[in-house]
Amino acid sequence: MKEGWEAVIGMEIHAQLATATKIFCGCAVETGGEPNSNTCPVCLGLPGALPVLNENVIELGARAALALGLEVQGTSIFARKNYFYPDLPKGYQISQYDKPFSANGTLTIMTSERDASGHATEWKPMNIHIQRMHLEEDAGKNVHEGLPDVDKYSYVDLNRAGTPLGEIVTSPDFRTSWQAYDYVNHVRRALQWVGASDADMEKGNLRCEANVSVRKIGETDFNNKVELKNLNSVRFMQKAIEFEIERQIAAHEADEPVAQETRLWDEKNNQTRVMRSKEDAHDYRYFPEPDLQPLKVTPDFVENVKARMPELPDVMRDRFMETYQLSYSDASQLVGDRSFAEYYETVARISANPKLAANWILGEFTRELNSSGKTADESLTTAEDLAELVITVEAGKINNNQAKEVFAEMFATGKPAAKVIEEKGFEQISDTSAIERIVDDVIASSEANVAAYRGGNDKLFGFFVGQVMKASQGKANPKVVNDILRHRLVG
Ligand code: ZN
Ligand code: MN
């Protein structure tokens, strides 16, 4: 960022709560169905149809709120947000306004700037104030299609109408695009971790918007802000914010106006462009939804949800560092997602070697997961099987290169370590008498070298080790070979 300037960025995230049915009716939430197949009078907005709140929305909403450090409010009120759009058949969205479901959260994220090659320079904790997470229904989708020079058609698909959302709004706390990037990733993992949302940006069940303005350092007033929308990935979001910061600084310095508007990220040209002007700001004429009671959530309910929640990733990371003596970087990577973290912990516990287990999980296991596109819980190799391999390596029964080869086969086939080691004939010979026989053969057939070694040519020791390893087809335990050779060669 240009010296003397700072960016002011606030984030809004819409996360689809992972319920089986919609927020105010019993229609299924599913993607890819026949258009308008998952609809009923309620989500079609037919006159006289009445909404009924889905209890599971409260459960998942509470999980999301707790995972983000928000306070679930004792009373929240649904409100009508009035606007007209073809994918909103009622003419209003049921949302929440001045009494949201949860509020006043402090979330500690880890964040770092990135160098030119994209590597984090220094991870530091940062507190983000989350103003609120309210509950609301999603709208449907307008689908536009048509052939050039032929009639164009627009369709309305209401399958998505009434899908439950949590809208998470921060204060304008972010000063760089990477802070916003790290925040969205943090929220995404937290929601997935507690099962509140699939939080998959590609599938559209996590959508984020960034409000970006810039000002001279030391100024306290805000300049006009631009809302960035329709960001399809966290990386595009980061690029869009970065572009916007530079664009706005340049405009201010040239005394050109920065319009209050909504802009999109144009992936092809690597720039933002105007979607619509915000000057005619909507008056949504919010008022309390008369068809729904105020939502009361008791402290008991919240405590009950809390008790059933898994250990949160940051707590788990700190525990891994403490209990298993892992570095911050290793522990952070291990809690990248929940099934991965739990997989690691099982391997660490069974192998009783948390450090070696971490090396395997972050090394070979991660490599195989990445190249197969699998998650830890989809791996054919169970944590128990990987632990057995770690134990075998630790005991020196096979060497590291053999272990890697064994693991590749385990991962591809799901076979246990012992079976693959046997099939590959990798079991090391540690049996002293078998190695003694080989050593004796080697000594008997190398008279000249034996004499030279005994005459003081120490360098020949390596020759004998090589001969024994060759005769054993690489299976002799090198440590046992060394011991026996030293003893025998003394003569
Ligand atoms: Zn419905
Ligand atoms: Mn919203």
Side-chain angles (χ1 to χ4, degrees), residues 311-381:
E311 183 180 26
L312 292 174
D314 293 354
V315 179
M316 201 175 207
R317 176 199 64 209
D318 293 347
R319 185 169 59 77
F320 281 0
M321 289 169 68
E322 173 83 22
T323 315
Y324 301 136
Q325 307 291 302
L326 300 179
S327 67
Y328 173 79
S329 156
D330 283 359
S332 303
Q333 289 178 68
L334 288 168
V335 299
D337 84 66
R338 194 170 135 201
S339 68
F340 188 72
E342 286 169 350
Y343 192 102
Y344 162 71
E345 187 142 44
T346 307
V347 177
R349 221 184 44 231
I350 298 178
S351 68
N353 195 332
K355 190 79 205 158
L356 191 57
N359 290 346
W360 273 88
I361 298 283
L362 296 175
E364 294 305 297
F365 185 59
T366 298
R367 214 170 48 75
E368 294 289 356
L369 289 181
N370 289 345
S371 63
S372 63
K374 285 183 177 166
T375 59
D377 50 7
E378 292 164 350
S379 158
L380 293 178
T381 301

Side-chain angles (χ1 to χ4, degrees), residues 22 24-28 38-44 158 161-162:
K22 295 184 180 181
F24 298 123
C25 62
C27 292
N38 296 320
T39 54
C40 72
V42 173
C43 56
L44 288 173
L158 295 172

Side-chain angles (χ1 to χ4, degrees), residues 3 18 21 29 38 101 130 155 157 161 164-165 167 263 273-274 286 311 340 378 403 458 464 478:
E3 192 129 350
T21 55
V29 172
N38 296 320
F101 177 74
I130 302 183
Y155 305 90
D157 179 5
L165 301 175
E167 181 178 331
R263 295 175 77 94
R273 61 182 166 80
V274 182
Y286 280 98
E311 183 180 26
F340 188 72
E378 292 164 350
D458 291 343
F464 294 110

